[in-house]
Amino acid sequence: MSSTDNANPVITRRDDGAIAILTADNPPVNATSLAVRSGLKAAVETADADPAIGAIVIACAGRTFFAGADVNEFGRPPQKPILFELCNAIEACSKPVVAAFHGTALGGGFEIALASHQRIMKADARAGMPEVLLGLTPGAGGTQRLPRLIGLPAALDLITSGRQIKAQEALKLGSIDAIAESDLLGEAIAMARAAIGKPIRRSGDLDVPAYDAAAVEEQLAAVKKKARGQTSPVEAATLVMNAVKGSTQEGIAAEREAFLRLMDTEQSKALRHIFAAERQALKIDGLDLSSAREVRHIGVVGAGIMGSGISIAMADAGYSVTVVERDEEAASKGRERIGGTYARTVKSGRIAQAVADERLARINVGHDANAFTNCDLVIEAVFDDLQVKQELFERLSGIVRDDCILATNTSYLNPNDIAAHVAHKERVVGMHFFAPANIMKLLEVVRAEHTAPEVLATAIAVGKRLGKQCVVAGVCTGFIGNRIYASYRKQCEFMLEEGATPTEIDAAMESFGLPMGPFRAFDLSGLDISWALRKRQAATRDPAARYCVIPDRLCEAGQFGQKSGAGYYNYASGKPVPDAKAADIIEQAAKEKGLPRKTFSADDIRRRLIAAMANEGGKELEEGVALRESDIDLVFTNGYGWPKWRGGPMFQARVMGLEKIVAEVREMQARDGSEFTLSSWLEAQAQS
Ligand code: T1G
């Protein structure tokens, strides 16, 4: 019998003898939208009451089993049946219910499986409870049923981390009963048939397996430490612990309260903003990502810190990589650098030696650029000097195929200038990695003036294969991230001239959630690098613009930051402490500026810095350098250490209130000159 309830087109029932097979079909990922919840609950109850039915199989059509609650319903009034009510109905069913899952059974999807009486999973499927990654907690019984099935420690791990598990681990943990060898549905039907008339094992009725209380206490402490200010992992851990304090239904009630409360928090809204942003970033008008060319062999020019990091990222993703340095000595250093990185990765336990060997074998380091002849893409990571890069690209265009993509990793130069002497300029694109390139997720893909759409699509496809968060940027000095970061840095320095200290500013941003405050970060990256850039730009600097001499004077005093033992902080003791020389330089510079001294609260500091960032972001949006606000937030949450639960500078500007942000910028405009002119985009947003 096959029936589709016309009132509910997403759930169909097909009977195979005494087995009712209920299949959901709700593209793209079978989110448990209202139609799924109501249809599936009705179908389960109908099948349970049907005397011809001995057991039930729940499955999904399309790419995956239920991938969780429908994020588009979040923040709206809940509509019955709520997902936990569906799960309770499944578990209460008097006949055996088997969940057959493929793809990614996540969140509410995994909870539907846990409420079923048995679970069979395709060998290549994955399961998980990613709610905390959205700033939420499971809300349909997961915190109660999972620990009863797999024990407290494993349940705490999965639910507070949000990580996905593969079939073998799911089986080993006890969260599933079998892995489908070939025919998921056929094997699920057989499992259901075998269960008819047998006792039903309901996970909600199980006792939590014995556990080591001290070890769990340590685990709870570790969750809190790792959360670094994010609340949902800690809340989720508390809910899981309810499994040993009360009944399943009491635990589910507590889940429901926490889930609804967290839904309204800034952290969850920020994390959902980022979730949506990640899926928006590569939807670009007029760009067909499927037009990307196949890339197998990649060339990298330069095996320095960036070049070796990029080479490792490429080899890790399965590409064969030809690295060329200027001479054998530099090539040899490059080999050592790359080999050393892999050795450290193996030593840390992140990969096995065999994997490192396989990846290393994909990287060939030499000093003859003719080795690039059969490359599909060559990226340069040489010294950020325009003439050097122009000459390099001119040479390369005489070596590589005419269709070989030429990418530049420049941070500040204009890819159009680099492309000036290249034959077939349409093949030039920017691929701006962030150090360390094999670790940092952000990749700014810079669309130069002549970049062909399929070249842009290809650079994005390579970035995605590397596991990067790609963000398309237009051409300007510093592209999306570094241009905004420059405004942020200037306001940090200006506040020193007005009475704030490096420690105060760092403390304000670290308590905001950054892993490291700005001045500690400047010291870490080295004050001399931006000093060299400022000296190069000195001749063209606007004399009317406010300029802070503090970092220049620190460098003139040989205080380049951590690398020289002192910068804004002193590192002689091994830990950063305020540096006396820096304090004198700050005091002297402030006196020379003669600005009114004031005290800054942490909120003052955050508002001023986020205002500077949002204002520059507004200008980027006006110019088309950034395609959308959320792209800017992706840049800072993937490339500059911003916690995703803060949503990014543009998100935070809205949280703080755009009127206040505009007021802050107007003060900057009056005090700091034309570089901080109020963005018309920001002004319009504040008025809308
Ligand atoms: N709801 C609605 N749409 C979703 C969705 C969801 N949960 N997940 C993905 N989509 C859309 C996505 O926007 C995109 O749409 C398309 O599906 C493909 O997604 C009570 C409350 C499933 C691993 O957190 O992890 O359950 O752009 O590009 O790379 O306890 O999507 O095509 O229009 O990401 O193959 C828990 C989130 C929710 C899963 C697929 N579940 N999704 O990855 O494709 S909370 C999640 C993912 C919950 C319960 C609680 C991934 C994926 P469009 P995609 P993908």
Side-chain angles (χ1 to χ4, degrees), residues 356-649:
D357 294 343
E358 182 198 332
R359 292 176 183 178
L360 259 173
R362 284 201 277 271
I363 301 175
N364 183 319
V365 185
H367 54 86
D368 176 2
N370 290 306
F372 288 142
T373 44
N374 68 338
C375 284
D376 305 304
L377 180 151
V378 176
I379 179 169
E380 63 78 17
V382 298
F383 180 62
D384 222 18
D385 174 275
L386 181 58
Q387 191 179 344
V388 168
K389 292 185 191 273
Q390 282 176 328
E391 287 169 2
L392 171 64
F393 265 34
E394 198 171 349
R395 257 185 70 215
L396 288 175
S397 57
I399 294 171
V400 300
R401 299 192 317 255
D402 284 352
D403 68 342
C404 172
I405 292 171
L406 295 179
T408 170
N409 174 57
T410 186
S411 298
Y412 284 97
L413 300 175
N414 183 332
N416 297 324
D417 298 340
I418 296 172
H421 306 291
V422 166
H424 306 295
K425 291 182 181 50
E426 71 283 354
R427 58 176 166 170
V428 174
V429 67
M431 293 179 80
H432 180 217
F433 288 83
F434 285 72
N438 55 311
I439 304 289
M440 292 299 279
K441 254 182 90 69
L442 178 62
L443 176 64
E444 285 180 317
V445 182
V446 185
R447 177 162 37 187
E449 184 183 351
H450 299 288
T451 303
E454 74 274 9
V455 169
L456 188 68
T458 306
I460 290 169
V462 171
K464 284 177 74 174
R465 184 167 156 186
L466 299 181
K468 300 297 182 187
Q469 174 60 63
C470 298
V471 176
V472 173
V475 173
C476 72
T477 303
F479 312 129
I480 294 174
N482 284 347
R483 172 171 159 181
I484 289 172
Y485 195 75
S487 298
Y488 167 84
R489 179 180 55 75
K490 283 172 187 167
Q491 288 300 327
C492 287
E493 294 163 357
F494 292 167
M495 282 191 276
L496 296 184
E497 295 178 322
E498 297 167 35
T501 66
T503 306
E504 286 169 340
I505 293 171
D506 282 356
M509 295 313 285
E510 285 168 15
S511 59
F512 177 72
L514 294 191
M516 183 182 286
F519 290 101
R520 284 206 41 217
F522 301 153
D523 271 357
L524 180 64
S525 54
L527 304 180
D528 49 332
I529 295 165
S530 48
W531 184 37
L533 188 63
R534 286 195 301 276
K535 285 193 283 189
R536 284 210 296 270
Q537 293 168 341
T540 56
R541 185 180 302 126
D542 173 4
R546 179 174 175 180
Y547 184 77
C548 177
V549 298
I550 294 170
D552 296 353
R553 290 190 182 162
L554 280 169
C555 291
E556 286 152 12
Q559 298 202 187
F560 301 131
Q562 208 163 320
K563 66 170 77 168
S564 64
Y568 286 98
Y569 294 94
N570 190 292
Y571 299 87
S573 68
K575 288 191 180 306
V577 296
D579 178 78
K581 176 75 179 165
D584 290 346
I585 287 175
I586 291 168
E587 188 180 347
Q588 180 53 34
K591 269 189 194 137
E592 289 167 13
K593 269 294 176 7
L595 288 165
R597 311 286 292 165
K598 57 183 181 180
T599 54
F600 291 83
S601 70
D603 282 344
D604 295 338
I605 291 167
R606 291 175 194 152
R607 187 173 54 254
R608 178 151 164 185
L609 293 181
I610 284 160
M613 297 177 86
N615 193 50
E616 200 58 39
K619 292 175 184 173
E620 291 183 0
L621 290 165
E622 290 160 32
E623 298 164 22
V625 167
L627 295 174
R628 54 182 80 83
E629 268 183 85
S630 58
D631 279 3
I632 295 169
D633 289 334
L634 284 182
V635 164
F636 281 88
T637 50
N638 286 282
Y640 292 79
W642 271 59
K644 289 188 175 183
W645 54 265
R646 283 290 187 190

Side-chain angles (χ1 to χ4, degrees), residues 28-29 63 67-71 108 111 130-131 134 138-139 259 275 279 283:
V29 295
R63 63 198 282 196
D70 184 340
V71 295
E111 288 172 303
E131 289 86 344
L134 296 173
F259 171 77
F275 176 85
R279 283 148 187 85
K283 291 182 178 170

Side-chain angles (χ1 to χ4, degrees), residues 83-103:
L83 192 54
F84 79 90
E85 293 169 330
L86 167 60
C87 290
N88 283 343
I90 291 169
E91 185 160 75
C93 193
S94 68
K95 295 166 184 170
V97 179
V98 174
F101 53 101
H102 67 295

Side-chain angles (χ1 to χ4, degrees), residues 53-64:
I53 296 302
I56 297 165
V57 170
I58 296 175
C60 285
R63 63 198 282 196
T64 178

